[in-house]
Amino acid sequence: MEKVIQTEKLTKRFGDFVACNELSFDVDKGEIFGFLGANGAGKTTAMRMLCGLLKPTSGKASVAGFDVFTQTEKIKMNIGYMSQKFSLYDDLTVSENIRFYAGIYGMKTKNIRTKTQELLNELGLQNEAKTLVSALPLGWKQKLAFSVSIVHAPDIVFLDEPTGGVDPVTRRQFWDLIYHAADKGVTVFVTTHYMDEAEYCNRVSIMVDGVIAALDSPVNLKKQFNADNMEDVFYQLARKAKRSDN
Amino acid sequence: MRTLFFLLEKEFRQLLRRKSLLGMLIIAPAIQLIIMPLAADFSVKNVSIVVVDNDHSSYSQRLINKITAGGSFKLAGYVSSYKEALKMVEQDKADLALQIPVNFERNLARENSGKLFVAINAIEGTKANLGGSYLSGIVKDFDDEIRIEWTHDATVDAPQISVASSNWYNPFLNYNLYMVPAILVTLVTAMSAMQSAFNIVQEKENGTIEQINVTPIKKHIFIIGKLIPFLVLGIILFSLGLVLGRIIYHVVPVGSLIVLYGSLVVYLFAMLGLGLLISTYSATQQQAMSLSFFFINIFNMMSGVFSSVDSMPAWAQAIVQTFPPSHFIKIMRTVVLKGSGFSDISNHLIAITIIGLVLNTWAILNYRKTA
């Protein structure tokens, strides 16, 4: 299996505080990799390092074959990212947002047009092409944001709690989009607090206090912790956490 | 280049969509430009004067007539004692009190000298100062007049030296000619520095900047994409100001428009750099607002719009040298009034360019795509 993310003892310190302590893991191509942990466990910090938004303190890591210390701009060319905060432009229309992001990733004008149509059809937003994004319901915005984050067909897409505040039906639809992308060979690296979503992942890692406390497929994790569901696995691990958000 | 095109397309779309903001950016400065030159006039009018005439002579009457005839002074009243006059000053009914002593005419005739006493209410500094010196001028004129009448007399002194000054470049000391260019600079300054800062900080607040940061956009391209729309807006605002100044205040630049616009572009480059720098240090629009307000207030007060930089203490003058508006105001005034060309203003242009380079480099270094 081809590895698209490899980390070895990846560490980030903020002063005395060790946000991520010697993380070592690999992610395979086309995998849906769940990145779980309580608030403050260090998930977002780890993700930001992998996206080239944050310089690691020590250790090694490569994303899409590029080094996170020296080749962040090359990494950025090959990944998509969707942050916790909704990040499309509210005062642009649906198709203007797609056009803008496709454009800055260097897509050709002709391709942008066909890609926009394709995306709108896939999301069922054909009639909303000229609607301002601010007028869309949250669930639609999230789905659109996901589609825009992979508009340039990246190798990997990083999703930071993409379904926060979204209703169960829309969450289910959102995961259909994720599967669809994974089928096309996009590796999905996703953080979530919903344990049912953890079950959808090929493999799951659970972070506690800056270290990876467990990493395996949901089936094996449940076996290992003698638990009925992922919720129970998570609870057993996260309970030991000494630090929280504050 | 293609990236820049898409960035600019997005920026202009957003800008044009915010109709209310756009309206404010254009209409608010226009209103200010119409109102402020009328208000910010240094010439002193309507100084009210209370007179204590203890002499009641023809000369004292003549002096009072001369004072009130000019238009700068209006008579607040006659009172019989200096005490009463001071009371009027205290009650703010008069700005100046003039006391003409008993025997003013007699002393003038006999001893060839008369004494007048003036009390000035110095609460309003400018008015008091100018009012006082206007009054001395009038008294001096009066003195000359009566001396000329006496020239036949043997008692007259030797001929006196008189100074006749002519005001170059602004012969009638038309304050609008002097103020409109400077006020226009303050308006362009506020718009460019503040709006560019707010715009970028807004992307921080909305979280869209994070999305931009994970794209392969180079940071200088992103920044250029942010600066160009406000450069265009600055030029539009400036042009509107020139047109309004011409229509309403008949301020027609003597110098060439190429010099004016060339300097404007250099100036906007510097001020947008400041806005950018502010945005890199601010996480919220409130912070950006406080920071830019701090700078703009200092610029307006110290850049020579209202008070002359040359009369400031040396340390203040040194600081003012680092303010781009002080240089641009000088450029505007000399080009508009005197018709200076590039070679005359090159010192100021070089200064603005250096400040602009420093601000922009600092901003780009401080703007990080990684946290």
Side-chain angles (χ1 to χ4, degrees):
Chain A
M1 235 358 193
E2 192 188 334
K3 310 273 185 220
V4 289
I5 300 176
Q6 287 179 293
T7 74
E8 206 187 311
K9 296 191 173 174
L10 189 67
T11 302
K12 179 68 193 182
R13 283 175 218 277
F14 297 102
D16 290 339
F17 180 76
V18 188
C20 294
N21 194 5
E22 303 199 338
L23 308 183
S24 301
F25 62 90
D26 299 333
V27 178
D28 297 326
K29 186 173 164 54
E31 190 174 22
I32 299 175
F33 189 83
F35 204 60
L36 275 55
N39 291 329
K43 293 172 311 216
T44 300
T45 305
M47 190 179 258
R48 289 172 62 86
M49 284 194 284
L50 296 176
C51 291
L53 286 172
L54 196 62
K55 223 175 188 70
T57 312
S58 62
K60 275 197 261 177
S62 74
V63 174
F66 299 105
D67 188 83
V68 293
F69 285 91
T70 56
Q71 297 173 301
T72 52
E73 293 305 307
K74 287 211 169 95
I75 289 176
K76 286 173 184 174
M77 205 66 220
N78 291 285
I79 61 165
Y81 174 76
M82 181 180 163
S83 69
Q84 282 173 0
K85 243 177 151 179
F86 174 73
S87 53
L88 295 177
Y89 289 96
D90 258 350
D91 49 359
L92 292 182
T93 67
V94 172
S95 60
E96 283 165 358
N97 265 294
I98 298 173
R99 178 179 159 82
F100 172 66
Y101 281 108
I104 58 177
Y105 277 107
M107 270 174 79
K108 293 210 169 59
T109 314
K110 202 178 72 189
N111 295 354
I112 293 176
R113 215 165 294 143
T114 49
K115 186 75 192 179
T116 303
Q117 267 317 314
E118 194 185 308
L119 271 184
L120 292 175
N121 292 340
E122 205 175 300
L123 295 170
L125 289 175
Q126 297 94 326
N127 297 326
E128 311 293 337
K130 288 191 173 132
T131 307
L132 288 185
V133 164
S134 57
L136 292 180
L138 180 68
W140 289 19
K141 285 185 189 176
Q142 300 292 74
K143 284 191 282 183
L144 179 64
F146 174 70
S147 302
V148 168
S149 72
I150 55 168
V151 71
H152 56 297
D155 293 343
I156 310 159
V157 62
F158 291 89
L159 309 174
D160 196 359
E161 292 178 27
T163 53
V166 171
D167 69 76
V169 177
T170 314
R171 280 209 285 137
R172 184 68 236 194
Q173 290 168 347
F174 193 91
W175 274 86
D176 287 341
L177 287 174
I178 291 180
Y179 275 116
H180 188 67
D183 283 345
K184 288 197 269 184
V186 179
T187 307
V188 179
F189 187 100
V190 57
T191 75
T192 180
H193 285 307
Y194 296 107
M195 289 309 128
D196 57 328
E197 292 185 353
E199 307 263 5
Y200 303 151
C201 298
N202 298 120
R203 278 193 309 152
V204 168
S205 83
I206 299 176
M207 267 185 95
V208 178
D209 289 352
V211 299
I212 292 179
L215 197 174
D216 214 326
S217 65
V219 178
N220 289 343
L221 281 176
K222 279 184 275 189
K223 223 178 274 166
Q224 187 188 333
F225 287 87
N226 196 17
D228 292 335
N229 49 40
M230 283 304 293
E231 184 120 26
D232 200 16
V233 175
F234 185 83
Y235 192 64
Q236 287 187 38
L237 286 166
R239 203 166 38 180
K240 297 176 197 150
K242 290 193 177 60
R243 71 191 198 208
S244 68
D245 254 350
N246 312 309
Chain B
M1 274 331 269
R2 253 178 70 82
T3 315
L4 185 59
F5 166 78
F6 281 103
L7 274 169
L8 287 176
E9 183 187 63
K10 163 200 158 260
E11 293 297 335
F12 279 108
R13 268 195 180 135
Q14 288 181 304
L15 208 56
L16 292 174
R17 202 154 276 159
R18 289 177 210 155
K19 291 261 167 20
S20 55
L21 177 70
L22 210 56
M24 282 211 332
L25 290 183
I26 298 296
I27 292 167
I31 293 174
Q32 292 180 65
L33 191 68
I34 292 171
I35 294 174
M36 279 158 69
L38 289 174
D41 187 334
F42 290 128
S43 52
V44 171
K45 289 169 199 133
N46 303 326
V47 181
S48 50
I49 185 167
V50 55
V51 177
V52 191
D53 185 359
N54 293 326
D55 198 34
H56 298 290
S57 60
S58 65
Y59 272 160
S60 71
Q61 201 49 52
R62 213 168 124 187
L63 176 62
I64 293 163
N65 282 344
K66 191 169 171 63
I67 290 168
T68 50
S72 297
F73 294 95
K74 67 169 193 244
L75 194 62
Y78 289 103
V79 290
S80 54
S81 74
Y82 182 62
K83 219 171 151 188
E84 281 173 71
L86 262 190
K87 202 163 183 187
M88 285 189 69
V89 172
E90 247 170 50
Q91 290 169 343
D92 227 4
K93 287 180 186 152
D95 301 309
L96 286 177
L98 171 70
Q99 192 183 25
I100 303 171
V102 187
N103 298 336
F104 171 69
E105 187 179 72
R106 206 185 66 196
N107 289 345
L108 207 57
R110 271 198 206 159
E111 296 164 26
N112 193 21
S113 83
K115 279 205 163 62
L116 290 169
F117 186 74
V118 178
I120 301 170
N121 177 5
I123 298 272
E124 279 203 57
T126 321
K127 200 170 178 183
N129 250 329
L130 287 172
S133 64
Y134 280 9
L135 191 62
S136 327
I138 293 173
V139 173
K140 170 86 172 41
D141 273 1
F142 173 75
D143 191 37
D144 291 348
E145 255 176 52
I146 55 174
R147 271 160 207 286
I148 289 167
E149 287 172 20
W150 293 345
T151 20
H152 320 292
D153 274 88
T155 48
V156 169
D157 293 331
Q160 299 190 352
I161 298 171
S162 76
V163 177
S165 61
S166 69
N167 299 302
W168 278 70
Y169 313 121
N170 191 356
F172 304 107
L173 285 182
N174 174 353
Y175 282 98
N176 294 335
L177 217 50
Y178 179 74
M179 290 310 290
V180 170
I183 288 172
L184 181 53
V185 172
T186 65
L187 297 177
V188 170
T189 303
M191 195 285 293
S192 54
M194 291 176 105
Q195 293 306 322
S196 61
F198 294 170
N199 184 287
I200 296 173
V201 174
Q202 197 176 27
E203 291 224 16
K204 280 191 194 177
E205 281 185 341
N206 292 344
T208 44
I209 199 128
E210 179 113 332
Q211 198 68 42
I212 294 288
N213 287 346
V214 289
T215 68
I217 293 183
K218 301 230 169 4
K219 62 182 178 182
H220 68 271
I221 298 284
F222 176 71
I223 283 169
I224 292 170
K226 283 288 180 194
L227 294 191
I228 289 178
F230 291 99
L231 189 74
V232 172
L233 216 54
I235 292 172
I236 293 175
L237 181 61
F238 184 80
S239 310
L240 182 78
L242 282 186
V243 171
L244 278 177
R246 189 172 192 137
I247 294 174
I248 298 173
Y249 294 106
H250 313 292
V251 177
V252 183
V254 180
S256 90
L257 288 179
I258 296 173
V259 177
L260 278 184
Y261 277 89
S263 310
L264 174 68
V265 170
V266 176
Y267 178 67
L268 283 172
F269 165 71
M271 290 317 290
L272 293 172
L274 177 71
L276 200 63
L277 188 59
I278 290 172
S279 76
T280 63
Y281 281 104
S282 314
T284 62
Q285 292 194 66
Q286 219 170 2
Q287 282 175 11
M289 172 80 107
S290 312
L291 261 177
S292 45
F293 194 73
F294 167 76
F295 283 110
I296 285 169
N297 229 357
I298 290 186
F299 288 166
N300 284 350
M301 289 304 171
M302 288 181 72
S303 292
V305 183
F306 303 105
S307 51
S308 164
V309 175
D310 295 333
S311 25
M312 290 179 189
W315 60 265
Q317 289 193 36
I319 294 174
V320 172
Q321 289 302 311
T322 66
F323 296 170
S326 74
H327 295 284
F328 192 49
I329 286 172
K330 279 240 170 71
I331 292 178
M332 281 290 283
R333 282 184 174 151
T334 52
V335 175
V336 170
L337 270 77
K338 212 159 67 165
S340 300
F342 277 122
S343 57
D344 307 308
I345 58 166
S346 58
N347 281 346
H348 295 298
L349 269 185
I350 291 168
I352 300 177
T353 310
I354 293 171
I355 300 165
L357 283 173
V358 170
L359 288 173
N360 279 284
T361 314
W362 186 356
I364 290 180
L365 290 177
N366 200 47
Y367 171 84
R368 289 173 202 291
K369 282 183 75 179
T370 50

